[in-house]
Amino acid sequence: MNFYVMTLFPEMVEHGLSTSITGRAMEKGIISLDAVNIRDYTKDRHRKVDDYTYGGGAGMLMTPQPVYDCYRAVTQKIKTGKMPELSELDDDMIPDKKSVRCVYLTPQGEVFNQAKAKELAAEESLILLCGHYEGIDERVLEEIVTDNISIGDYVLTGGELAAMVVCDAVSRMVPGVLTNEMSGVGESFEGGLLEYPQYTRPEIWMGKSVPPILISGDHAKVDKWRYEQSLERTRQRRPDLYEKVDSSKKI
Ligand code: SAH
């Protein structure tokens, strides 16, 4: 999986993803990350990337030209393997919207979830576009965006954190990123349920014991207990998810 994040703050995205599991996956070459600075593609003499909004109102909006040329650079890199500078953009290479998905992180998008993470993990490359200030001129969004994704019903200052959330969750679904010891099997949202409670050593902590069934060695009983716990936890904490569980699966 190759992630291309178009942003005004590439170092934020690089730092956020270069440690721990995603960092190791990058070192191993299972995923790659190109955080591309939209400002490097502005034609403005003062390297400006934003301007006032037509119709008035507070705040600045990102202008279409730098975003579009940054997108052209990324699609050219995907085709040729080399990231061109602004002056090296090939006018004969017309970006094809259908060839690679371009996700705009926006509070106006479809709310991100595990199913979407799995779906996106099947792509070979993904472009993620981060807005800042008041957002981005609508015309360039119409031109390049294939998916609008929100990470929740609140407004962030920029799309960078949201892009990192999407890259992280998608990466975990790419084969080889999680080792066997941390497999995604049985995890929350698998099968529409939250995960059961988990325990590690010591067996007694602050006077509280681990549920005895977990040390019984009876795997069938452990599985049954975990499933019941998953159901109960989902019912209590996420009634919206519980409602969608097939009634034959409810005990
Ligand atoms: N004026 C816009 C919000 C701009 S917030 C509106 O009302 O829709 C600035 C940028 O932060 C956005 O362009 C977007 O990229 C990002 N952003 C803000 N909230 C987000 C969310 N919940 N999910 C994903 N991206 C978000």
Side-chain angles (χ1 to χ4, degrees), residues 104-108 129-136 149-159 162:
Y104 177 42
L105 286 313
T106 165
Q108 301 178 26
L129 170 61
C130 306
H132 228 85
Y133 318 115
E134 276 307 304
I136 303 178
I149 293 183
S150 164
I151 62 158
D153 292 344
Y154 40 80
V155 181
L156 302 164
T157 56

Short mmCIF file of all heavy atoms in Angstrom, two decimals, residues 104-108 129-136 149-159 162, ligand 1:
data_model
loop_
_atom_site.label_atom_id
_atom_site.label_comp_id
_atom_site.label_asym_id
_atom_site.label_seq_id
_atom_site.Cartn_x
_atom_site.Cartn_y
_atom_site.Cartn_z
N TYR A 104 -10.70 13.00 0.17
CA TYR A 104 -10.64 14.29 0.86
C TYR A 104 -11.13 14.10 2.28
O TYR A 104 -12.23 13.59 2.50
CB TYR A 104 -11.49 15.33 0.12
CG TYR A 104 -11.54 16.68 0.80
CD1 TYR A 104 -10.38 17.26 1.34
CD2 TYR A 104 -12.72 17.41 0.88
CE1 TYR A 104 -10.41 18.50 1.96
CE2 TYR A 104 -12.77 18.66 1.50
CZ TYR A 104 -11.61 19.20 2.05
OH TYR A 104 -11.64 20.42 2.66
N LEU A 105 -10.28 14.46 3.26
CA LEU A 105 -10.68 14.39 4.66
C LEU A 105 -11.51 15.63 4.96
O LEU A 105 -11.02 16.76 4.81
CB LEU A 105 -9.44 14.37 5.56
CG LEU A 105 -8.62 13.07 5.61
CD1 LEU A 105 -9.53 11.86 5.80
CD2 LEU A 105 -7.72 12.89 4.42
N THR A 106 -12.76 15.43 5.32
CA THR A 106 -13.67 16.56 5.52
C THR A 106 -14.78 16.19 6.49
O THR A 106 -15.28 15.05 6.46
CB THR A 106 -14.30 16.98 4.16
OG1 THR A 106 -15.43 17.83 4.42
CG2 THR A 106 -14.77 15.79 3.33
N PRO A 107 -15.18 17.13 7.35
CA PRO A 107 -16.30 16.82 8.25
C PRO A 107 -17.60 16.57 7.49
O PRO A 107 -18.57 16.08 8.05
CB PRO A 107 -16.41 18.07 9.14
CG PRO A 107 -15.69 19.16 8.42
CD PRO A 107 -14.65 18.49 7.56
N GLN A 108 -17.60 16.88 6.18
CA GLN A 108 -18.80 16.67 5.37
C GLN A 108 -18.81 15.29 4.69
O GLN A 108 -19.65 15.03 3.83
CB GLN A 108 -18.89 17.76 4.30
CG GLN A 108 -18.96 19.16 4.90
CD GLN A 108 -19.02 20.25 3.86
OE1 GLN A 108 -19.46 20.02 2.75
NE2 GLN A 108 -18.56 21.43 4.22
N LEU A 129 -6.10 13.88 0.79
CA LEU A 129 -6.00 15.33 0.68
C LEU A 129 -6.44 16.00 1.98
O LEU A 129 -7.56 15.78 2.44
CB LEU A 129 -6.86 15.81 -0.51
CG LEU A 129 -7.06 17.32 -0.66
CD1 LEU A 129 -5.74 18.05 -0.85
CD2 LEU A 129 -8.00 17.60 -1.85
N CYS A 130 -5.52 16.78 2.56
CA CYS A 130 -5.82 17.47 3.82
C CYS A 130 -6.10 18.94 3.55
O CYS A 130 -5.28 19.64 2.96
CB CYS A 130 -4.61 17.41 4.75
SG CYS A 130 -4.02 15.76 5.05
N GLY A 131 -7.23 19.42 4.05
CA GLY A 131 -7.53 20.84 3.97
C GLY A 131 -6.99 21.55 5.20
O GLY A 131 -6.56 20.90 6.17
N HIS A 132 -6.99 22.86 5.17
CA HIS A 132 -6.62 23.68 6.32
C HIS A 132 -7.43 24.95 6.26
O HIS A 132 -8.12 25.18 5.28
CB HIS A 132 -5.11 23.96 6.30
CG HIS A 132 -4.50 23.70 7.63
ND1 HIS A 132 -4.07 22.45 8.01
CD2 HIS A 132 -4.26 24.51 8.69
CE1 HIS A 132 -3.60 22.52 9.24
NE2 HIS A 132 -3.70 23.76 9.67
N TYR A 133 -7.31 25.79 7.25
CA TYR A 133 -8.09 27.04 7.30
C TYR A 133 -9.58 26.69 7.17
O TYR A 133 -10.05 25.78 7.83
CB TYR A 133 -7.63 28.02 6.22
CG TYR A 133 -6.15 28.10 6.04
CD1 TYR A 133 -5.52 27.70 4.88
CD2 TYR A 133 -5.34 28.57 7.10
CE1 TYR A 133 -4.14 27.76 4.73
CE2 TYR A 133 -3.96 28.64 6.95
CZ TYR A 133 -3.37 28.23 5.78
OH TYR A 133 -2.02 28.28 5.65
N GLU A 134 -10.28 27.35 6.26
CA GLU A 134 -11.72 27.10 6.09
C GLU A 134 -12.00 25.91 5.17
O GLU A 134 -13.14 25.51 4.99
CB GLU A 134 -12.40 28.35 5.52
CG GLU A 134 -12.78 29.38 6.56
CD GLU A 134 -13.61 28.79 7.69
OE1 GLU A 134 -14.67 28.20 7.40
OE2 GLU A 134 -13.19 28.91 8.85
N GLY A 135 -10.95 25.38 4.55
CA GLY A 135 -11.14 24.27 3.63
C GLY A 135 -10.53 24.59 2.27
O GLY A 135 -9.58 25.37 2.18
N ILE A 136 -11.09 24.01 1.20
CA ILE A 136 -10.50 24.07 -0.14
C ILE A 136 -11.55 24.51 -1.15
O ILE A 136 -12.72 24.13 -1.03
CB ILE A 136 -9.92 22.69 -0.53
CG1 ILE A 136 -8.89 22.21 0.51
CG2 ILE A 136 -9.29 22.72 -1.92
CD1 ILE A 136 -8.30 20.85 0.24
N ILE A 149 -14.23 11.59 3.26
CA ILE A 149 -14.27 10.85 4.52
C ILE A 149 -14.12 11.79 5.70
O ILE A 149 -13.24 12.66 5.73
CB ILE A 149 -13.16 9.77 4.55
CG1 ILE A 149 -13.46 8.70 3.51
CG2 ILE A 149 -13.02 9.15 5.94
CD1 ILE A 149 -12.49 7.54 3.49
N SER A 150 -14.98 11.58 6.70
CA SER A 150 -14.91 12.32 7.96
C SER A 150 -14.48 11.34 9.04
O SER A 150 -14.82 10.16 8.99
CB SER A 150 -16.31 12.86 8.30
OG SER A 150 -16.37 13.24 9.65
N ILE A 151 -13.74 11.82 10.05
CA ILE A 151 -13.43 10.89 11.15
C ILE A 151 -14.36 11.11 12.35
O ILE A 151 -14.17 10.52 13.40
CB ILE A 151 -11.95 10.93 11.57
CG1 ILE A 151 -11.53 12.30 12.09
CG2 ILE A 151 -11.05 10.47 10.44
CD1 ILE A 151 -10.28 12.22 12.98
N GLY A 152 -15.38 11.92 12.19
CA GLY A 152 -16.35 12.07 13.26
C GLY A 152 -17.01 13.44 13.20
O GLY A 152 -16.55 14.33 12.50
N ASP A 153 -18.08 13.58 13.95
CA ASP A 153 -18.87 14.81 13.89
C ASP A 153 -18.32 15.91 14.79
O ASP A 153 -18.91 16.24 15.83
CB ASP A 153 -20.34 14.50 14.23
CG ASP A 153 -20.99 13.66 13.14
OD1 ASP A 153 -20.43 13.59 12.03
OD2 ASP A 153 -22.06 13.07 13.40
N TYR A 154 -17.19 16.41 14.41
CA TYR A 154 -16.55 17.56 15.07
C TYR A 154 -15.63 18.18 14.02
O TYR A 154 -15.35 17.54 13.01
CB TYR A 154 -15.75 17.13 16.30
CG TYR A 154 -15.00 15.84 16.09
CD1 TYR A 154 -13.79 15.83 15.39
CD2 TYR A 154 -15.53 14.62 16.52
CE1 TYR A 154 -13.12 14.65 15.16
CE2 TYR A 154 -14.85 13.44 16.28
CZ TYR A 154 -13.65 13.46 15.60
OH TYR A 154 -13.00 12.28 15.35
N VAL A 155 -15.18 19.40 14.26
CA VAL A 155 -14.36 20.07 13.24
C VAL A 155 -12.93 20.23 13.76
O VAL A 155 -12.70 20.74 14.85
CB VAL A 155 -14.95 21.45 12.87
CG1 VAL A 155 -14.09 22.12 11.80
CG2 VAL A 155 -16.38 21.30 12.36
N LEU A 156 -11.98 19.75 12.97
CA LEU A 156 -10.55 19.86 13.29
C LEU A 156 -9.98 21.11 12.61
O LEU A 156 -10.61 21.68 11.73
CB LEU A 156 -9.82 18.63 12.74
CG LEU A 156 -10.29 17.27 13.23
CD1 LEU A 156 -9.74 16.17 12.33
CD2 LEU A 156 -9.87 17.05 14.67
N THR A 157 -8.76 21.49 13.01
CA THR A 157 -8.14 22.66 12.37
C THR A 157 -7.58 22.29 10.99
O THR A 157 -7.39 23.15 10.15
CB THR A 157 -7.00 23.21 13.23
OG1 THR A 157 -6.07 22.16 13.48
CG2 THR A 157 -7.51 23.77 14.54
N GLY A 158 -7.30 21.00 10.79
CA GLY A 158 -6.76 20.58 9.51
C GLY A 158 -7.00 19.10 9.29
O GLY A 158 -7.35 18.38 10.23
N GLY A 159 -6.79 18.64 8.07
CA GLY A 159 -7.06 17.24 7.74
C GLY A 159 -5.95 16.27 8.13
O GLY A 159 -6.11 15.06 7.97
N ALA A 162 -6.74 13.58 10.69
CA ALA A 162 -7.72 12.67 10.09
C ALA A 162 -7.02 11.74 9.09
O ALA A 162 -7.29 10.53 9.06
CB ALA A 162 -8.83 13.47 9.41
N1 SAH B 1 -15.27 24.94 6.78
C1 SAH B 1 -15.22 23.52 6.76
C2 SAH B 1 -14.31 22.97 7.85
C3 SAH B 1 -12.86 23.31 7.65
S1 SAH B 1 -11.84 22.57 8.83
C4 SAH B 1 -16.63 22.96 6.97
O1 SAH B 1 -17.40 23.55 7.71
O2 SAH B 1 -16.93 21.89 6.42
C5 SAH B 1 -10.31 22.52 8.00
C6 SAH B 1 -9.92 21.18 7.40
O3 SAH B 1 -9.82 20.23 8.44
C7 SAH B 1 -10.87 20.60 6.40
O4 SAH B 1 -10.62 21.08 5.11
C8 SAH B 1 -10.63 19.12 6.52
O5 SAH B 1 -9.57 18.69 5.67
C9 SAH B 1 -10.18 18.95 7.96
N2 SAH B 1 -11.21 18.40 8.88
C10 SAH B 1 -11.89 19.10 9.82
N3 SAH B 1 -12.73 18.32 10.50
C11 SAH B 1 -12.62 17.08 9.99
C12 SAH B 1 -13.24 15.82 10.27
N4 SAH B 1 -14.17 15.68 11.22
N5 SAH B 1 -12.86 14.75 9.54
C13 SAH B 1 -11.93 14.86 8.59
N6 SAH B 1 -11.30 16.02 8.26
C14 SAH B 1 -11.63 17.12 8.96
#
